[in-house]
Amino acid sequence: RFPNSSRMSTSSTSAATPGDTILVIGAGGQLGLELTQELRQRYGASNVVAADVRAPKDAETAQSGPFELLDVLDKNRLEEVMRRYQPKQVYHLAALLSATAEKNPKFGWQLNMDGLFNVLDASVDLGVQKVYWPSSIAVFGPDTPRENTPQLTIMNPNTVYGISKLAGEQWCEWYFRKHGLDIRSLRYPGLIGYKSLPGGGTTDYAVDIYHKAVAGQPYECFLSEDTYLPMMYMPDALKATLDLMHAPAGQINIRSSYNLGAMSFSPKEITASIQRHVPDFKVSYQPDSRQQIADSWPASIDDSRARQDWGWQPDFDLDKMTGDMLLHLKQMQA
Ligand code: AKB
């Protein structure tokens, strides 16, 4: 489907070689924090440069390896950082999520699109070997089939975030075709982890709810009890991201972004799963503007292309995730 690129060997395996530098932009975010830790463990802390618009809050990112203050909208500064470290791989994770972007539409568009262009252009100019950029289930909209949403289907997103992610996917494919840039992408569902908090998303309730349960407090959910959304535990998200990045280029047949699934549940079901460990945990429902966003997204995802092309398989379902989340959050509280 795609022409062979002169910049990229389709048979090469794609793990970073020891000593190669990796740059993570948005390293202080929900995914960035954990991905940076994972990459540092695998490739050596000094080989993974964390960059974020804010100084790191957590001691691990701050002390375990190089850190650069970087606003991805500042193209000169981005190029300066990239020239200094000469990264072979760039993970560009900085973005405004769905709920926040609806409140700041112009800035959401600017950060999500101009930030991506800055990274794509600098990567082409400076000969970066591989780029990772996350997309989202937000690329789908109210006209999309909601159950088992296929890879290729009607999209029509109706949020600023979704529009920016869909446009971004198309641009990634274009840079691959025109410039041979080896850029890879996943459409993440809602991500849930105990190490980091999400900010400004529609799926954030599924993280907040565990924190309340462990704190012994009731939770007021901003989505209605029967709102099903695709979700994923962070260890699976890290595994998917690194498996995709390590796959030989010839196996990556989708250069926009891969559907990625693991589990699908409603607030009522996650509550029941938590109550199996914390029987007196109470949840009430007060849907707000995020309900409309959730209603426009898929309830479950068909990720068969990811399974076929590079062997994707999740490890966690809802109950396994709940057990692990509660265990770690309790340990952190102790
Ligand atoms: C959000 O809720 O905005 C994100 C996403 C699904 O991309 N977690």
Side-chain angles (χ1 to χ4, degrees):
R1 190 167 155 226
F2 295 110
N4 275 350
S5 149
S6 54
R7 292 183 74 237
M8 194 184 62
S9 153
T10 49
S11 62
S12 69
T13 54
S14 306
T17 340
D20 282 356
T21 302
I22 297 171
L23 173 65
V24 183
I25 301 167
Q30 186 201 12
L31 174 64
L33 197 125
E34 297 208 32
L35 194 58
T36 302
Q37 288 177 4
E38 183 70 27
L39 287 166
R40 282 183 172 168
Q41 241 164 37
R42 290 191 188 212
Y43 299 116
S46 60
N47 293 322
V48 179
V49 182
D52 200 279
V53 71
R54 279 177 283 274
K57 284 184 276 231
D58 72 305
E60 203 164 335
T61 308
Q63 290 154 14
S64 73
F67 176 84
E68 292 290 334
L69 261 188
L70 172 66
D71 176 355
V72 74
L73 292 176
D74 184 345
K75 199 169 181 203
N76 291 335
R77 170 79 181 132
L78 173 67
E79 283 178 3
E80 182 195 318
V81 169
M82 287 180 60
R83 276 185 209 286
R84 175 152 11 116
Y85 290 99
Q86 302 281 316
K88 292 278 193 301
Q89 295 191 14
V90 175
Y91 290 76
H92 168 40
L93 312 176
L96 231 55
L97 295 187
S98 55
T100 317
E102 279 314 279
K103 292 195 183 116
N104 307 280
K106 294 280 162 51
F107 180 64
W109 181 255
Q110 191 196 6
L111 176 63
N112 294 1
M113 295 312 300
D114 292 350
L116 177 60
F117 280 125
N118 287 349
V119 171
L120 292 175
D121 287 335
S123 298
V124 169
D125 291 348
L126 301 176
V128 170
Q129 284 176 358
K130 214 179 313 165
V131 179
Y132 180 79
W133 174 79
S135 185
S136 159
I137 52 164
V139 292
F140 300 111
D143 304 322
T144 304
R146 283 206 84 216
E147 302 294 337
N148 216 18
T149 301
Q151 175 73 39
L152 294 173
T153 184
I154 300 168
M155 314 289 277
N156 291 344
N158 65 2
T159 62
V160 174
Y161 176 65
I163 300 167
S164 73
K165 286 295 180 187
L166 181 54
E169 286 188 4
Q170 305 290 299
W171 277 110
C172 288
E173 193 169 331
W174 189 88
Y175 271 75
F176 172 76
R177 270 190 280 113
K178 290 283 177 188
H179 296 288
L181 184 65
D182 187 355
I183 175 151
R184 302 170 182 208
S185 177
L186 297 170
R187 291 173 178 157
Y188 290 123
L191 299 184
I192 299 159
Y194 59 88
K195 291 189 187 169
S196 54
L197 287 168
T202 302
T203 58
D204 296 8
Y205 90 86
V207 180
D208 300 340
I209 197 168
Y210 285 111
H211 285 262
K212 288 289 185 191
V214 169
Q217 292 169 4
Y219 180 63
E220 187 179 278
C221 184
F222 56 76
L223 297 182
S224 66
E225 62 178 6
D226 289 322
T227 308
Y228 279 83
L229 286 170
M231 299 279 184
M232 180 174 286
Y233 196 33
M234 193 59 89
D236 272 338
L238 299 176
K239 181 174 87 155
T241 307
L242 295 178
D243 283 358
L244 176 73
M245 288 297 271
H246 292 165
Q251 278 175 228
I252 311 297
N253 296 314
I254 291 173
R255 288 293 180 166
S256 51
S257 190
Y258 277 95
N259 274 11
L260 188 72
M263 59 182 105
S264 171
F265 57 78
S266 64
K268 194 157 102 186
E269 285 181 357
I270 191 175
T271 301
S273 178
I274 294 171
Q275 282 168 340
R276 287 194 265 281
H277 300 258
V278 188
D280 55 355
F281 180 50
K282 299 262 178 311
V283 177
S284 58
Y285 298 92
Q286 201 60 254
D288 66 16
S289 57
R290 287 168 279 191
Q291 182 68 46
Q292 243 184 332
I293 301 178
D295 288 342
S296 77
W297 286 354
S300 59
I301 292 288
D302 172 1
D303 60 3
S304 48
R305 294 296 300 271
R307 290 173 191 252
Q308 276 159 31
D309 285 2
W310 43 275
W312 164 241
Q313 218 177 348
D315 291 327
F316 286 86
D317 61 15
L318 174 57
D319 284 334
K320 194 171 169 195
M321 172 176 77
T322 296
D324 205 61
M325 276 293 283
L326 294 175
L327 181 78
H328 283 100
L329 287 175
K330 277 184 205 150
Q331 280 169 356
M332 288 161 76
Q333 204 187 36

